[in-house]
Amino acid sequence: MSGGFPVDLILFGMVAAFLVLRLRSVLGRRTGFERPRREGPGAYDPAAAQRPAEIAPDLPAAAMPAGGTRRTVPDPGSPVGQALMRIRGVDPSFDPNGFLDGAEGAFRMIVDAFARGDRNMLRMLLDDDTYAGFAGVIDGRERAGETQRSEVRAMQEMAIEAADLRGTTADVTVRFVSDQVNVTSSKDGSIVAGADAVTELADIWTFRRDLRSQDPTWKLVATRSA
């Protein structure tokens, strides 16, 4: 990630299942919004729209919680804020701040799954096209006998940068600034990419969901470097 009963594998599976359920409960609760390494691929009713202040009436556009992560939610009067309001018009329980909670969880899980080559986890969190790109990189890594280690040491910033609603399909784009360690090693253990040092990285990810779907998961549909 010997002999004897593989208790460690069972425990890992239980932990992974718990994390997936936890993530889906945040991203797919209809309360909200939902990095591979640099080599990864990277009908609205106006009457239903809420008043701008109702999107996040108690929170400023940018807040620095105790954990140190700076979070930015667009001003309700801005074009992005208006798009979020339209999303809430279709899904009244939609909350951008709740979405950012799930987005951070998704970010960490996808980075980890990509590094470990966990295709099952990636299938649950990525759309088909994005998954194909990620899987292609994993395939190439495995053919070369390479392994990757990726760790998100800290999340410095998260900001909602764009939002769109087409019919009942919503897209929300988040900018992540994180401190990470990313190292790719060859068969003999020598480093072929990255470095065993903390680097600040900025990524822009777009998540999508049909707000009327029974599937509550916001899936990653696009990635790029900031």
Side-chain angles (χ1 to χ4, degrees):
M1 8 183 36
S2 56
F5 193 70
V7 176
D8 55 336
L9 296 181
I10 295 176
L11 291 176
F12 176 79
M14 293 173 64
V15 171
F18 170 78
L19 289 174
V20 171
L21 292 173
R22 177 78 173 175
L23 175 63
R24 287 173 66 89
S25 73
V26 176
L27 285 180
R29 187 170 62 197
R30 300 186 183 178
T31 62
F33 291 64
E34 172 202 70
R35 153 191 181 234
R37 286 182 50 233
R38 214 53 67 205
E39 62 192 39
Y44 166 60
D45 178 6
Q50 306 296 310
R51 291 183 295 108
E54 291 179 350
I55 293 181
D58 301 322
L59 292 174
M64 181 72 79
T69 302
R70 181 178 179 81
R71 292 186 172 200
T72 302
V73 174
D75 183 276
S78 69
V80 177
Q82 290 294 311
L84 299 181
M85 187 168 60
R86 291 194 296 274
I87 292 172
R88 184 160 180 168
V90 175
D91 184 351
S93 63
F94 179 81
D95 169 39
N97 290 285
F99 177 81
L100 285 177
D101 288 337
E104 180 175 1
F107 183 89
R108 291 176 180 274
M109 291 176 70
I110 291 170
V111 168
D112 178 67
F114 178 71
R116 292 187 293 103
D118 187 341
R119 294 174 177 80
N120 290 332
M121 180 73 75
L122 293 174
R123 277 194 182 280
M124 289 188 286
L125 301 175
L126 280 56
D127 77 337
D128 290 343
D129 290 341
T130 307
Y131 171 79
F134 279 48
V137 175
I138 293 171
D139 290 343
R141 206 166 59 206
E142 292 176 347
R143 285 193 299 270
E146 297 173 348
T147 58
Q148 182 173 326
R149 177 169 64 90
S150 294
E151 301 174 17
V152 179
R153 295 290 181 85
M155 185 65 68
Q156 299 294 342
E157 179 183 354
M158 292 187 294
I160 295 175
E161 293 211 332
D164 188 31
L165 181 68
R166 299 175 309 284
T168 61
T169 299
D171 284 4
V172 180
T173 299
V174 180
R175 182 176 185 267
F176 300 92
V177 179
S178 61
D179 292 339
Q180 295 191 37
V181 174
N182 289 286
V183 182
T184 302
S185 303
S186 64
K187 296 178 183 179
D188 63 9
S190 61
I191 295 177
V192 297
D196 193 9
V198 176
T199 304
E200 182 179 282
L201 300 171
D203 298 276
I204 296 177
W205 284 11
T206 299
F207 298 91
R208 177 176 295 161
R209 179 175 177 263
D210 183 345
L211 302 176
R212 298 303 190 198
S213 172
Q214 294 300 309
D215 182 355
T217 306
W218 289 76
K219 292 196 173 184
L220 180 64
V221 298
T223 69
R224 64 184 173 89
S225 300

